[in-house]
Amino acid sequence: MSTSPQVYGDISPRTAAYAIAPLLKRHTEKMILQKLGQTYVLPTKASNTAKFRRYEALPLALTALVEGVTPAGVKPTITDYTAVLEEHGDFIPYSGYMLDTHEDPILKEYGALCVQQASETLETLIWNKVKAGTNVGYANGSARTDVNTPISLAMQRTATAALIRQRGQYITDIVASSPNFRTEPVEAAFVAVVHSDMSNDIRNMTGFIPTKQYAGGVLPWANEIGSVEDVRYVRSVLFTPFADGGGAKGAMRSTTGTSADVYPVLYFSTDAFGFVPLRGSNAMSLIAHNPGSSGTADPLNQRGTLGWKMANTSVILNDLWIYRLEAAATA
């Protein structure tokens, strides 16, 4: 979410918006974390700090009322979480000669690359925040350095029991894959995100149901593997493991061939984290500078650039509503 007006360089705002919208939709459909968090719409020129508010559950009212006596009442406990926006961006240089001689629509292709880079950058930034939670369990042993066992149903049940014990609720709606901030309903479940390397181990879990066998009306998400009991599993190559972080590799995947790579599996309940998403008219700027627009810095009108810029943030709202299982992946 940008805190300044959109800047498009030598592309008109109308043209840039037309270019960005379909590209954003195409790439955000595959970005899962951007759909799971509690969204915060930060108005343009308002602040560089996003504030999320969590209301704690009230204590049980176990004392019987006395006739005619008004009870004392209870004051809700409110916890605020703030996160400061960080700006990210990049660009691709090109030459006027390339535009004149290349048979492909260079700016269109470069625009697609920029939007993909921006979407995956935001997804990875959120991943780095949410995987750092403190609610963690191990597939075997008592530390990451022990891990060399794949995921199992028993491990999943440990994770979901931990979420339920802390009053974690099923996710029942997600942010839609559109430039807007609307949400759309989904089948109630906890959601787990995993690296693609774990796909076969997920499928081998007892009770696994592939997406093609979902009951009528339940639509799978892009990159969804399937479900096990009350958990839906979604994969991405962006959810990277801790290379060589575990015990002796055995039959598990390993970066160097000695120690097992350790894969975080994050189980989410609703409102576990908050983020300013890649959505809306001020979410990202696609900035173009055509050859010749740099004045004396480009005296022969040879150089141009196409790039992007965005400001974003994310924050864990309740550590106990995210459970990180650390497991290995079968090679």
Side-chain angles (χ1 to χ4, degrees):
M1 175 71 68
S2 175
T3 57
S4 60
Q6 289 285 60
V7 179
Y8 301 104
D10 303 316
I11 298 180
S12 69
R14 180 178 180 181
T15 301
Y18 178 80
I20 290 175
L23 293 172
L24 280 179
K25 187 176 189 304
R26 187 174 76 185
H27 290 293
T28 54
E29 282 178 351
K30 299 179 181 179
M31 302 293 107
I32 185 60
L33 292 178
Q34 298 175 36
K35 300 184 178 98
L36 298 179
Q38 181 184 129
T39 61
Y40 183 93
V41 183
L42 194 63
T44 300
K45 298 183 180 180
S47 172
N48 69 339
T49 302
K51 180 183 289 186
F52 299 88
R53 173 162 290 181
R54 178 160 62 90
Y55 292 83
E56 309 291 347
L58 296 176
L60 301 180
L62 299 178
T63 302
L65 296 175
V66 177
E67 184 178 356
V69 177
T70 302
V74 61
K75 183 178 180 180
T77 300
I78 300 172
T79 304
D80 286 338
Y81 297 84
T82 59
V84 178
L85 295 177
E86 299 174 341
E87 197 167 48
H88 297 265
D90 207 348
F91 70 93
I92 303 172
Y94 65 89
S95 68
Y97 181 77
M98 180 185 297
L99 289 180
D100 292 337
T101 60
H102 205 288
E103 64 181 16
D104 294 332
I106 291 297
L107 291 182
K108 180 180 178 181
E109 296 297 334
Y110 282 4
L113 289 174
C114 284
V115 172
Q116 178 180 3
Q117 183 188 30
S119 298
E120 293 186 355
T121 294
L122 181 55
E123 187 85 337
T124 300
L125 289 169
I126 299 173
W127 168 252
N128 289 339
K129 290 283 185 69
V130 296
K131 76 175 182 181
T134 58
N135 194 18
V136 59
Y138 305 100
N140 63 279
S142 57
R144 181 177 300 161
T145 51
D146 297 326
V147 173
N148 57 4
T149 304
I151 191 173
S152 68
L153 177 59
M155 297 172 197
Q156 173 185 297
R157 287 177 173 174
T158 297
T160 56
L163 296 178
I164 293 170
R165 192 178 303 116
Q166 298 300 326
R167 299 185 177 182
Q169 302 294 314
Y170 287 158
I171 291 174
T172 57
D173 55 64
I174 59 173
V175 179
S177 297
S178 73
N180 303 315
F181 287 93
R182 69 178 181 84
T183 59
E184 56 188 20
V186 296
E187 185 75 9
F190 294 122
V191 177
V193 299
V194 301
H195 189 277
S196 301
D197 287 349
M198 301 191 72
S199 299
N200 289 337
D201 291 328
I202 300 298
R203 293 188 179 100
N204 288 334
M205 290 173 64
T206 302
F208 173 76
I209 300 174
T211 56
K212 66 181 180 182
Q213 294 181 12
Y214 281 0
V218 179
L219 299 177
W221 304 332
N223 299 337
E224 185 171 358
I225 306 172
S227 65
V228 180
E229 294 187 346
D230 54 353
V231 177
R232 297 175 67 170
Y233 284 89
V234 188
R235 63 185 172 186
S236 171
V237 295
L238 300 177
F239 305 147
T240 52
F242 300 102
D244 300 307
K249 80 173 200 71
M252 301 295 106
R253 290 182 180 270
S254 171
T255 298
T256 64
T258 303
S259 299
D261 293 339
V262 177
Y263 292 79
V265 182
L266 300 188
Y267 294 87
F268 292 101
S269 56
T270 191
D271 293 333
F273 70 97
F275 72 104
V276 177
L278 184 58
R279 299 286 195 280
S281 60
N282 292 312
M284 188 186 81
S285 297
L286 189 63
I287 306 166
H289 292 291
N290 296 325
S293 60
S294 300
T296 57
D298 185 21
L300 297 182
N301 295 347
Q302 294 172 293
R303 295 183 298 277
T305 60
L306 181 64
W308 60 273
K309 183 174 64 174
M310 68 178 176
N312 64 88
T313 188
S314 57
V315 60
I316 293 177
L317 301 180
N318 191 332
D319 264 314
L320 299 178
W321 291 350
I322 303 174
Y323 186 94
R324 186 177 78 249
L325 169 65
E326 299 193 356
T330 305

